[in-house]
Amino acid sequence: MWRTLPGVSEGDKARFDAVDALVARSRVLPPPGERRRLRMAHGLTQQEVADALGVRRATVGAWESDDPGRRTEPRPPERDAYARLLDRLTELYPPPPAPDVPAAPESPAAPPARRTVPAPPRPADSAAAAPRTRPSVRKPAPSAAPAGEGRYPAGPLAVLDGAGLAHLADGRTAPCPAGSVAELVDWALRAGLGAERLHRHGQDADPLVVLTEAAAERLGLPPRLENRAFDDGMRLAEDHPVVREILAAGWKLTRRGFGPWPRIYRSAEHGRRRCVQLAVLGWDALEDRAWPGAGQVPPGELARMLGTYAARVLTPRGSTAVTGLELMTALRPPTRPVRDGAAWTSGPVPGSLTAPVDPAPPEAPEEHPVAEGRPAGQELDEEAYDWVRPGGFTDAECALPYVLGLDVNMAFAAAANRLTVGLGAPVHTDGPRFDKKVPGAWYVDLSHVELDPRLPSPFSPGGDRPSGPAWYATPTVAYAVELGHDVAPLEAWLRPEAGAYLDPWYERLRDAYLATMADLGVTKDLTEAAYLAAMAGHKSVDPAAAAVLSAIKATVKGGIGKLRERAQGKARFRTNQRWPALERPTWRPDIRAAVIATARVNMHRKMLKMAAHGRYPVAVLSDCVVYPAPTPSPLDLLPRTPDGRPAPGVFRLGVSPGMTKLEGVRDLWWAAEVIEEHYNPARHIKDDPTRDGEE
C-alpha cells in the first residue's frame, strides 16, 4: 500500500522493505508443545510438514519434541518457512490465554522417599494470589526448562536481580516483592517454581533462587562472605541478623548453615516438602572453573543458562560435584512405598544404593576407621594416568616436528556406561577364582605381565610395572586376563549383589552433553574434517551454551569424585573417626575406583591398538594422550585401513563420549623441554594460546 503513496522516495522504499523483512521474520518460535498443537489442529502429519519444508520427518519431530535430549531448533532457510506456517496456523487456531505464574500455598515438591503411607492429593487453592508476569524479548534457549504448564509453571529456577525482578528460565520475568530472605522463601514456594522428579519414586526438585550481588545486598546479605565458621567452608555466623530472622520465621537451615548454597526448609506437611535452595553469586556459588563467566552475565541470560542445565541434567543443588552425586540419587532413588498388609512402608528400589555401607579395608582412604592399622602398600590405588615415557623421544620421533594431544570426550562417563558395580557390602574371601562379572577388590600379583616399555603399564596410575602383589579393582584384573595372562588372586573383597547402577546417570549426562554440543554446532553426523573445524571455534558460537557444556563435564568428574568425599574440616577431624559423608548410601569409593580403572584400561586398550600401527605415546594424563606427529592434523596421525576408514580400536575423532578431540598442538621441541623439566606435556598442551582448547 505504501508503494502507491505520493512522496515516497526510492530510499524510503528500501528502508520500508527492510522493516517489512524484519517484521516478517519470526524472532521467537512457539514452544514445541504449541507447534505440535497447531499442526494437529489443522490435521497435518509430520510427514506433510516435512515434505512442504524439504526436510526429513524426524527433523519435524525433533522440532516438536518435549525431550531436551532429542529436541532441536529449525535453522535458516527452513526456519523462516516454518515460522510462516506457524504464524498462519496461529491465526486460524489461536491458543488459549497463557496462564500467569500462579501462586500456591505450599511447595509442590515430591513426597520424601521414606514414608509409611502414600501422600494424599493436595487440594487446589484457588484463592492463592498469582504474581503477574511480563514477557521478555530475549529468545529462550532451545532446551530451557518449559514453563507455563504442568505442576511447575514458573520452571525450575529464578534469578533475582536488585530491582526485585525474578528472571525465569524460559525468558519471562515475574515481580518478587520479598524484602527479606524469609519472605523470599515464602514467595518461592508460592510462585510455581520447581521441576518434576526424574524417577517415579524420587523427589521433585526444590525451587532454586539465584541471588545476584545486588539482590543479596537488598535482602541484607553481605556482598562477600568472609566469616569462616570452620576451615572447610564459609557461612554466615549463627548470630547474623539474616540467620536470626530466618529462624524466627519458623524456617530451618541445614547443618551446613547459610553459605553460598543454603537450603532453607520447614518440616514436611501432609507429606509435602517445604524446602528452597538459594545460590549466592557474590559468594562464588557458581565457580568459574565449572561455570566460566557465569558471574558476569545478565540475570536473564544466567536464568536461560541455568535453565538449560536444569532441563538437561538437574536443577543445581550446589557445586557441579554435588549436583553430579544428587543426579545419581534422583535417577536411582533408594526407597519406594510398598504395601505391607493394610499399611504402607518403605522398601528398597531394585538396582539402587539403599543404605550406607563401609568399604573394604583396601578401598578406604587412610583416614577412614576401617583403614586403621592397615599395613603399608595394602591400599587400592586405582587412579587416572599420570605418565611420561622414560627416556623421552626416540631418534626417529625427534625427526617429527609436532606433538598432538588427543583428549577422550567424557572419558569417565563413558567408563560408567554398562559398568557392573557393587550394590551392597563387601564380603572377604581367601584364594578366590577370578570372575570378571563380580565387582570388588582383588589382591593379585601382576608383576609377571610383560608389556612394551614404550607404553605405560595399565596396572598403575604412574604407568610403572608392578613389583609384586597389590590390590586391584575388577576392571583392571579383567584387562590382564583379556591380554592373555593368568591371574591367581590371593584374597578378595567381593560384592555379590551388583548391577549397572550408573547406567541412567551416564545416559542422561551423555544426552545433555550431545545436545549442548549440537547447540554449539558440533554434531555426530559431521565428517572428521568438519568435526575438527567445528571444534576449533565452537565455544564462540554461544558463550552461554559453552558454559553449560563446561558445567556438564564438571558434573561428570565431580560426581565420580564425590563417591569418595574426604573428611572436611581438618581442624576438627581426627584420623580414623567417622565424618558425615560416610552416612550417605552414595559414599562408595569402590564404585569410584571401578570407574577410574575402566577409564584407564580403555585408554591403554586404544594405545595398544595405536602401537600396532607404529604410534607410541610420549605422555598420558588422565584422558589426554600426547603423540609425536608429522603434521599439526590428527588426520595424518590416526591409523587408517586400506579403504581410508579409521583402523579398528584406535583413537577416533568424533563428538560422542569415548571418542576423541584434538586437545592441542605444539612443536616437538616444546614437549622435549617440558619433559626435561620433569613436567607432563599432556598437562600443558592445551595451553597453546593459538587454539580454543577444551577445559
Side-chain angles (χ1 to χ4, degrees):
M1 181 183 300
W2 53 264
R3 290 180 176 275
T4 62
L5 296 178
V8 177
S9 67
E10 289 300 318
D12 288 336
K13 292 179 181 179
R15 282 188 285 271
F16 291 165
D17 284 336
V19 169
D20 286 348
L22 289 176
V23 173
R25 187 188 309 165
S26 176
R27 289 296 184 185
V28 180
L29 297 178
E34 178 65 3
R35 302 172 196 174
R36 187 167 56 251
R37 184 192 73 82
L38 292 170
R39 175 180 57 77
M40 296 176 67
H42 202 61
L44 298 174
T45 66
Q46 290 183 346
Q47 187 62 58
E48 289 173 325
V49 174
D51 292 341
L53 299 178
V55 298
R56 296 184 298 117
R57 187 204 61 77
T59 301
V60 177
W63 294 346
E64 296 180 355
S65 175
D66 290 325
D67 181 1
R70 179 172 175 250
R71 185 189 312 151
T72 62
E73 285 294 296
R75 297 182 178 180
E78 293 83 10
R79 187 182 191 280
D80 292 339
Y82 187 53
R84 182 179 179 85
L85 170 66
L86 296 177
D87 288 343
R88 293 290 181 87
L89 293 178
T90 301
E91 294 174 5
L92 295 173
Y93 311 99
D100 293 327
V101 178
E106 299 294 346
S107 169
R114 297 182 183 272
R115 60 185 184 184
T116 56
V117 295
R122 174 175 157 264
D125 186 355
S126 59
R132 304 293 298 178
T133 62
R134 59 182 177 87
S136 168
V137 297
R138 180 175 296 279
K139 176 178 179 280
S143 62
E149 54 189 48
R151 296 198 308 175
Y152 301 105
L157 56 90
V159 177
L160 187 62
D161 64 21
L165 202 59
H167 300 259
L168 306 181
D170 67 345
R172 293 181 298 158
T173 59
C176 176
S180 67
V181 172
E183 293 176 358
L184 174 64
V185 174
D186 282 323
W187 173 86
L189 291 175
R190 294 195 310 268
L193 290 168
E196 295 192 13
R197 67 196 73 183
L198 300 180
H199 188 282
R200 59 178 297 196
H201 298 305
Q203 297 177 349
D204 289 5
D206 295 321
L208 169 64
V209 181
V210 181
L211 305 180
T212 62
E213 293 189 31
E217 185 177 359
R218 182 170 176 264
L219 297 172
L221 297 171
R224 293 287 183 272
L225 191 58
E226 304 295 341
N227 173 56
R228 283 188 177 270
F230 301 105
D231 63 349
D232 61 317
M234 294 188 293
R235 68 200 72 181
L236 291 180
E238 294 182 0
D239 60 350
H240 190 278
V242 170
V243 175
R244 294 203 307 266
E245 177 186 69
I246 292 170
L247 300 179
W251 294 100
K252 302 177 183 178
L253 289 164
T254 61
R255 181 168 47 187
R256 297 290 295 173
F258 200 112
W261 287 92
R263 293 185 66 75
I264 304 173
Y265 69 100
R266 282 178 179 153
S267 299
E269 188 174 86
H270 303 300
R272 299 282 177 176
R273 288 169 60 87
R274 295 186 295 173
C275 185
V276 174
Q277 177 82 64
L278 303 182
V280 188
L281 289 181
W283 301 356
D284 298 324
L286 298 179
E287 296 179 321
D288 200 58
R289 287 185 301 175
W291 292 96
Q296 289 74 49
V297 301
E301 184 74 5
L302 181 59
R304 178 174 82 92
M305 181 191 308
L306 294 174
T308 301
Y309 178 88
R312 293 176 177 173
V313 181
L314 189 72
T315 303
R317 292 283 303 272
S319 67
T320 48
V322 169
T323 304
L325 200 67
E326 291 288 341
L327 181 62
M328 296 179 194
T329 302
L331 294 166
R332 295 272 201 184
T335 58
R336 59 176 176 168
V338 295
R339 185 178 290 277
D340 183 10
W344 289 87
T345 185
S346 180
V349 175
S352 293
L353 304 179
T354 59
V357 296
D358 278 340
E363 296 168 345
E366 60 182 359
E367 65 268 27
H368 195 284
V370 304
E372 187 172 7
R374 183 178 61 191
Q378 289 293 305
E379 67 277 0
L380 180 71
D381 188 22
E382 294 285 14
E383 300 293 340
Y385 268 131
D386 188 354
W387 173 83
V388 176
R389 188 201 302 166
F393 297 97
T394 65
D395 290 344
E397 290 171 341
C398 287
L400 299 175
Y402 301 101
V403 289
L404 304 186
L406 301 177
D407 185 83
V408 177
N409 301 321
M410 301 275 282
F412 294 110
N417 184 27
R418 300 180 182 176
L419 177 65
T420 301
V421 299
L423 301 178
V427 178
H428 184 264
T429 178
D430 286 320
R433 180 178 179 180
F434 177 70
D435 186 347
K436 66 179 182 180
K437 296 181 180 179
V438 180
W442 308 78
Y443 192 60
V444 60
D445 190 352
L446 298 178
S447 61
H448 63 285
V449 177
E450 289 280 355
L451 292 172
D452 193 309
R454 290 170 291 182
L455 295 174
S457 167
F459 309 129
S460 68
D464 303 317
R465 180 174 176 173
S467 58
W471 287 97
Y472 301 98
T474 296
T476 302
V477 185
Y479 187 55
V481 175
E482 179 185 325
L483 294 175
H485 301 282
D486 294 328
V487 297
L490 305 175
E491 59 176 312
W493 287 90
L494 305 179
R495 287 178 165 82
E497 183 187 359
Y501 172 74
L502 293 173
D503 268 10
W505 184 81
Y506 159 76
E507 290 166 3
R508 186 160 179 87
L509 288 166
R510 173 204 62 198
D511 292 347
Y513 166 77
L514 290 175
T516 308
M517 290 297 288
D519 289 345
L520 295 170
V522 186
T523 57
K524 293 195 293 185
D525 58 353
L526 295 176
T527 65
E528 290 180 307
Y531 169 70
L532 291 172
M535 288 296 294
H538 71 289
K539 289 185 180 180
S540 61
V541 172
D542 182 351
V548 173
L549 177 67
S550 173
I552 291 170
K553 293 190 288 187
T555 302
V556 173
K557 291 189 176 182
I560 295 299
K562 273 283 185 179
L563 290 168
R564 195 190 67 169
E565 182 179 358
R566 308 298 285 267
Q568 305 294 318
K570 299 296 184 182
R572 296 176 293 116
F573 173 75
R574 283 189 252 174
T575 300
N576 303 128
Q577 287 188 345
R578 300 188 71 83
W579 59 94
L582 304 187
E583 309 311 317
R584 295 193 318 247
T586 50
W587 193 86
R588 293 296 299 272
D590 58 297
I591 296 180
R592 173 187 178 273
V595 172
I596 294 177
T598 302
R600 194 182 65 244
V601 163
N602 288 346
M603 288 288 290
H604 191 276
R605 187 180 288 112
K606 288 183 172 63
M607 288 188 287
L608 194 61
K609 291 291 186 179
M610 294 280 288
H613 295 271
R615 277 78 159 175
Y616 292 89
V618 70
V620 188
L621 181 69
S622 187
D623 47 9
C624 178
V625 57
V626 176
Y627 280 95
T631 74
S633 173
L635 297 176
D636 299 321
L637 169 68
L638 298 176
R640 302 276 172 178
T641 60
D643 61 358
R645 297 183 179 183
V650 302
F651 293 104
R652 293 186 60 180
L653 295 173
V655 69
S656 296
M659 298 184 77
T660 307
K661 61 179 177 292
L662 180 62
E663 182 78 347
V665 181
R666 293 292 190 116
D667 293 333
L668 185 133
W669 63 265
W670 168 87
E673 288 184 350
V674 169
I675 294 173
E676 185 71 22
E677 295 173 1
H678 305 289
Y679 293 111
N680 190 330
R683 184 182 302 277
H684 303 286
I685 196 166
K686 67 182 178 182
D687 297 335
D688 185 349
T690 66
R691 284 192 51 79
D692 183 19
E694 288 287 283
E695 267 72 31

